[in-house]
Amino acid sequence: MRRVIGMDIHRTFAEVVFWEEGRLRHHGRVDMTRSGLEGFGRSLEGDEEIVVEATGNAMSVVRVLSPFVARVIVANPMQVKAIAHARIKTDKIDAGVLAQLQASGFLPEVWVPDDRTERLRRLVARRNQVVRHRTRVKNEVHAILQAHLVPKCPHADLFNKRGRDWLSRQTVPDDERAAIARRVREIDRLADDLADLDGDIAKDTVDDADVQRLLTIAGVNAVVAAGIVAAIGDVSRFREPQKLVSYFGLNPRVRQSGLGIAQYGRISKHGRSHARGLLVEAAWAASKAPGPLRAFFLRIRNRRGHQVAAVATARKLVVLIWHLLTKKQDYLWLRPSLVAAKRRQLELKAGALSEKGKGRRGAAYAYNLKNLRTREREGSEQAEKAYEHMVRHWRPQGPRPRRRTDATSEERQ
């Protein structure tokens, strides 16, 4: 007899409902502790399917209950809400809905990452939080200076050595000066945390073949490559590049009904916002490096502007990443010395010993040779010109005419 268990999980408890032979049976509440979940798992027969919604502690529930049942499934809460919208909403009803959707085969599942991918996702998310916190603290310092009519800092960075010397000479009230000093100390502490996280991420990805492959793309550094690999996980779950584009929320919204023409809007912005931000960041970097990606950026920019061009280049990057990871190939227009320098920086962050002063030339030494860098840059510029020549005579195409069925043709006649 098939049994499906729906669990509506909260911070301290989970509401449990059993589905058996087409009927729902309320089981009660289970404590959201390891001992409480293990006790509930031992009371089961072992052939059940458990369904939970994706939330903050869902992965811990999956790890604890997986040894006791046939399968633990994580559901997409947004799609579940769209499928089973109800005016009356309780924990018991929500748990029953999860069980019924799984029993009927309509449950929208979420891919469950392995332990390594989950750890990398946590590290990338924590790094993003530290970076955002540091930006917020820096903006507070700028706000204090603006409030007291202090002119803009003449140096490139207000928080480097020269910028801090300039900052110490500005005239502000004593309490504001103390506030600035507290925030500068906070920035230094966050910089240390960021260095520790970068080291942990580098140790986890220095031997990752997918990260090494993404480093061959112009504009993609170790942080972006690690974030993208962590977000994708197993690339084989995306059958085509458009699926991966949709996963990152870079596909346009579409509205179409009947025989009307499809109307395309802004990007959907569904999926992982942090990974999407990394892709846009990489797109801006790629727009400044010679190569086909830069030519693509400039072509879109001339028609639609900078912002649209950056997002379009990010989408192009996703398609490129899908092909590289699926076919296990490096980027065709890579610059070998630049890629070697990227990989060496990743190794140093992971704790590798420096070779400076030992009389040996490492793999990244070639990047120090100006003539070699110039030749590689010229090769990328030739690839950029080849792309420009290929698309020179392209013209925007209007919407394709819809094919009329026989029934539609008869009605119009």
Side-chain angles (χ1 to χ4, degrees):
M1 180 182 65
R2 185 187 182 190
R3 289 206 302 176
V4 181
I5 303 172
M7 297 182 65
D8 187 39
I9 56 179
H10 297 271
R11 174 66 179 85
T12 57
F13 69 91
E15 199 76 35
V16 180
V17 173
F18 282 67
W19 179 93
E20 298 173 311
E21 297 181 344
R23 296 184 179 181
L24 296 177
R25 175 171 59 86
H26 184 222
H27 176 79
R29 292 184 174 181
V30 175
D31 290 337
M32 285 296 292
T33 61
R34 182 171 294 274
S35 59
L37 290 173
E38 289 177 348
F40 172 68
R42 283 190 291 267
S43 67
L44 301 176
E45 297 178 1
D47 58 348
E48 295 89 351
E49 294 176 320
I50 295 181
V51 184
V52 298
E53 282 188 328
T55 184
N57 53 358
M59 295 308 302
S60 297
V61 175
V62 172
R63 286 193 296 269
V64 173
L65 292 179
S66 292
F68 301 100
V69 294
R71 189 183 178 200
V72 181
I73 305 163
V74 182
N76 188 321
M78 297 296 294
Q79 295 182 12
V80 168
K81 180 180 179 181
I83 295 173
H85 179 72
R87 293 184 179 273
I88 301 176
K89 185 180 182 302
T90 64
D91 296 339
K92 179 180 175 181
I93 292 176
D94 290 344
V97 166
L98 293 176
Q100 286 180 319
L101 288 177
Q102 173 59 19
S104 58
F106 289 105
L107 185 76
E109 294 186 34
V110 173
W111 179 73
V112 178
D114 54 23
D115 293 340
R116 182 181 177 278
T117 304
E118 187 181 357
R119 168 183 162 82
L120 186 57
R121 284 184 174 183
R122 290 197 301 266
L123 290 174
V124 171
R126 290 189 183 115
R127 187 187 187 281
N128 180 47
Q129 292 171 356
V130 172
V131 171
R132 294 177 63 183
H133 187 189
R134 185 180 63 174
T135 302
R136 185 163 54 248
V137 175
K138 287 183 177 181
N139 289 339
E140 291 175 359
V141 175
H142 286 292
I144 292 175
L145 298 179
Q146 180 182 357
H148 295 282
L149 304 180
V150 177
K152 186 178 179 180
C153 178
H155 306 293
D157 185 5
L158 177 61
F159 302 99
N160 61 14
K161 186 178 184 303
R162 297 178 64 187
R164 293 187 184 192
D165 291 341
W166 176 87
L167 180 61
S168 64
R169 296 193 299 269
Q170 304 309 306
T171 303
V172 293
D174 294 341
D175 61 316
E176 297 283 46
R177 187 175 299 278
I180 291 175
R182 286 194 298 271
R183 284 160 176 78
V184 169
R185 290 195 298 270
E186 180 72 5
I187 291 171
D188 292 338
R189 184 188 66 80
L190 291 172
D192 294 337
D193 293 345
L194 196 59
D196 293 339
L197 287 170
D198 284 340
D200 293 338
I201 293 174
K203 291 176 184 177
D204 284 6
T205 58
V206 67
D207 296 324
D208 190 298
D210 290 341
V211 172
Q212 298 290 336
R213 189 162 285 115
L214 295 189
L215 289 178
T216 62
I217 304 175
V220 176
N221 57 19
V223 173
V224 174
I228 298 304
V229 169
I232 293 176
D234 183 8
V235 72
S236 63
R237 61 197 180 103
F238 301 100
R239 298 190 304 273
E240 54 187 12
Q242 287 73 21
K243 298 291 184 181
L244 188 57
V245 170
S246 177
Y247 178 73
F248 285 118
L250 290 169
N251 57 320
R253 296 187 176 97
V254 183
R255 292 184 179 275
Q256 191 274 332
S257 179
L259 299 177
I261 298 175
Q263 302 292 330
Y264 293 89
R266 299 178 182 272
I267 59 174
S268 64
K269 293 188 178 181
H270 286 193
R272 294 185 169 271
S273 59
H274 175 234
R276 184 168 58 251
L278 290 176
L279 287 165
V280 174
E281 177 184 336
W284 282 113
S287 68
K288 298 176 176 62
L293 289 173
R294 181 174 183 271
F296 176 81
F297 174 87
L298 295 177
R299 183 171 68 90
I300 303 300
R301 187 195 66 177
N302 293 337
R303 295 190 295 111
R304 304 292 301 277
H306 284 81
Q307 301 296 332
V308 174
V311 175
T313 306
R315 186 189 184 281
K316 182 71 72 174
L317 272 173
V318 175
V319 176
L320 174 61
I321 288 170
W322 184 88
H323 284 284
L324 295 184
L325 297 182
T326 302
K327 301 175 182 177
K328 300 187 182 303
Q329 297 177 354
D330 291 341
Y331 184 46
L332 180 61
W333 306 111
L334 62 86
R335 296 165 60 182
S337 64
L338 177 60
V339 174
K342 290 181 185 179
R343 290 173 175 171
R344 183 55 183 166
Q345 291 175 359
L346 182 61
E347 293 173 358
L348 292 174
K349 286 184 178 181
L353 297 178
S354 175
E355 298 293 334
K356 288 185 177 180
K358 295 185 179 181
R360 295 193 299 267
R361 294 180 178 179
Y365 176 77
Y367 191 66
N368 298 321
L369 304 178
K370 184 176 180 180
N371 292 336
L372 182 59
R373 293 202 312 271
T374 302
R375 288 199 301 269
E376 291 182 357
R377 186 177 182 88
E378 289 174 352
S380 298
E381 290 173 351
Q382 291 178 0
E384 181 177 342
K385 292 179 181 178
Y387 177 86
E388 292 174 350
H389 179 74
M390 181 183 67
V391 303
R392 183 174 299 169
H393 301 293
W394 284 9
R395 293 291 183 270
Q397 295 183 354
R400 296 180 180 179
R402 293 177 59 86
R403 294 183 178 179
R404 296 180 182 177
T405 61
D406 295 338
T408 305
S409 301
E410 292 176 1
E411 290 177 1
R412 291 184 179 273
Q413 292 174 358

